[in-house]
Amino acid sequence: MDFLMRCLRIESALVFAVLLGAAGADEPAANEDQLEALSLLESHYANLDSIDSVDVSITTTRSRFSVEKGIWEDVEVRQRLVLDEKNQVGVLATLQKFVGTRERESSEDSRSRVVIAVRDGGRAATRQFPEAAIWVSLAERTFGSVAHYPDFRFLGHYPFPISAGAISPAQVQAALKVSRTAHSGMTYSLLPQRKAAIVFRDENHPPDIRLGKRVFDLESNQLESVRASGWVRSEKKMMPKLVEQFQWKLANDISVPVVVTGEQRKSGIGPDRKRIVWNEQYDISLRWFAVNSELKMEQSPTDFLDDMNKVLQFIEAKGMKEITRELE
């Protein structure tokens, strides 16, 4: 698992570069089409930036497969995130199950894992049951870097769900800049059925041509899909490295994602020092119970550290009412 996580971080960084395109260079003033593109992007990311506090349940099914191995790992992850950074409240509870994992059927990793991370003022604690809780100071760290909860600000930039704290300040600024700056590698075009495509293209370093495409629904002004491609030397052609699709609803007058589906092409160096390539498919559903409103907790976040059953009940969110409604 450590090896796969390292590969995931490396491949996510590569996809991030693809989606950024040719950002960073001085460019002439935007033309009319690029202004239309910037308007869509600005609206999209301003909406995500406005999310301050949440109570959301996230269910993820993820499969890794390759031509050589077929499906070698199925994972189901159920999470509930309650977060209010302003009031220093944070809880991330995770139940992870390996389902039909061929290489782990007889290992300890095939069991379910229950993990809890909580924030208590200026400190945070994590616990993977049955191990004891580990406390850390947040003086020089963020709760996101401890709990690794999803950062919704980067839908469309990173494969979802990129974790808060996993993105450096420099990458944050680069992402924000490319979303709000016109450049020669950006094109805008209208599509049938009231859609629009924004393409980011970088040909500065052939043959490593990079292409990122975002499609928006002009009826709702919401991001509908993302596609990132790059030059694959082994195949000698451009190939998709990331495809994601999104569905949105309104929660407290903020557009929030309720479904994210995607597929990534990943690669890395295996234990035998040989290059391996695999695909990863994922389906993510989100249930929203609160957005930018008062968060109601029946008990102190630290109470979860002592009782796994409380954590499981918290994840289940039984009786919680969803607040989403259809887009207007």
Side-chain angles (χ1 to χ4, degrees):
M1 177 59 68
D2 290 340
F3 163 71
L4 286 175
M5 290 303 294
R6 287 196 299 272
C7 291
L8 174 59
R9 287 192 291 270
I10 293 171
E11 195 70 15
S12 293
L14 294 175
V15 170
F16 177 77
V18 170
L19 290 175
L20 282 183
D26 293 332
E27 296 287 347
N31 58 38
E32 186 174 346
D33 283 346
Q34 289 178 337
L35 289 175
E36 292 282 356
L38 292 175
S39 176
L40 278 174
L41 292 168
E42 181 67 34
S43 174
H44 170 68
Y45 287 106
N47 172 75
L48 296 176
D49 285 342
S50 70
I51 299 176
D52 290 327
S53 60
V54 301
D55 184 349
V56 59
S57 173
I58 306 170
T59 300
T60 304
T61 57
R62 191 179 298 270
S63 296
R64 296 186 176 104
F65 61 94
S66 65
V67 174
E68 294 80 8
K69 292 184 176 182
I71 296 177
W72 86 78
E73 185 172 72
D74 285 338
V75 181
E76 179 183 285
V77 182
R78 296 180 60 196
Q79 295 179 302
R80 184 169 170 200
L81 171 66
V82 173
L83 181 67
D84 185 352
E85 286 280 16
K86 181 179 179 181
N87 294 313
Q88 299 186 333
V89 174
V91 180
L92 176 66
T94 302
L95 170 62
Q96 180 171 322
K97 296 180 179 179
F98 291 95
V99 183
T101 306
R102 295 183 179 182
E103 294 185 350
R104 302 175 186 270
E105 289 176 349
S106 60
S107 71
E108 291 186 359
D109 283 335
S110 64
R111 300 178 306 178
S112 297
R113 293 177 181 174
V114 179
V115 182
I116 183 75
V118 303
R119 175 171 184 171
D120 180 20
R123 60 179 187 161
T126 60
R127 180 178 185 183
Q128 178 176 312
F129 291 90
E131 287 82 3
I134 301 175
W135 285 95
V136 297
S137 171
L138 294 179
E140 298 181 357
R141 302 178 67 182
T142 65
F143 180 56
S145 66
V146 175
H148 302 293
Y149 56 80
D151 193 331
F152 297 102
R153 296 176 302 166
F154 291 96
L155 276 165
H157 266 301
Y158 267 103
F160 188 77
I162 188 69
S163 297
I167 310 172
S168 72
Q171 288 174 316
V172 170
Q173 292 305 313
L176 294 176
K177 181 177 180 180
V178 76
S179 294
R180 294 166 168 84
T181 305
H183 51 79
S184 60
M186 175 192 289
T187 61
Y188 173 87
S189 59
L190 293 175
L191 303 176
Q193 299 179 331
R194 292 283 295 163
K195 313 288 184 185
I198 302 173
V199 174
F200 298 86
R201 187 178 184 90
D202 182 6
E203 295 180 323
N204 292 332
H205 306 287
D208 188 23
I209 301 171
R210 299 179 299 189
L211 188 69
K213 180 179 180 181
R214 299 178 179 90
V215 174
F216 283 81
D217 181 342
L218 295 179
E219 294 290 343
S220 62
N221 283 343
Q222 292 303 322
L223 180 65
E224 187 174 88
S225 65
V226 165
R227 183 182 181 93
S229 302
W231 183 261
V232 179
R233 289 180 176 86
S234 60
E235 301 289 339
K236 297 182 179 180
K237 61 181 178 180
M238 289 281 288
M239 294 185 65
K241 293 190 174 182
L242 169 72
V243 178
E244 279 191 340
Q245 295 182 318
F246 311 94
Q247 295 179 27
W248 303 80
K249 287 187 177 181
L250 285 175
N252 198 15
D253 295 325
I254 295 174
S255 295
V256 295
V258 292
V259 175
V260 180
T261 59
E263 182 172 349
Q264 294 183 61
R265 183 183 188 274
K266 298 184 176 181
S267 62
I269 304 301
D272 56 1
R273 309 307 300 171
K274 292 183 179 180
R275 185 174 180 80
I276 58 174
V277 178
W278 71 93
N279 281 21
E280 185 169 287
Q281 292 180 336
Y282 46 94
D283 296 279
I284 304 170
S285 61
L286 303 97
R287 300 166 56 211
W288 297 84
F289 309 124
V291 176
N292 290 8
S293 59
E294 182 180 357
L295 300 178
K296 298 179 180 179
M297 297 282 293
E298 296 182 357
Q299 51 198 350
S300 168
T302 55
D303 290 344
F304 293 113
L305 297 173
D306 299 324
D307 192 331
M308 187 175 72
N309 288 327
K310 289 183 180 179
V311 177
L312 294 174
Q313 292 172 7
F314 178 74
I315 294 172
E316 185 178 2
K318 188 175 182 179
M320 294 294 296
K321 183 179 179 181
E322 294 184 54
I323 63 168
T324 52
R325 66 180 192 275
E326 297 299 323
L327 292 174
E328 298 172 345

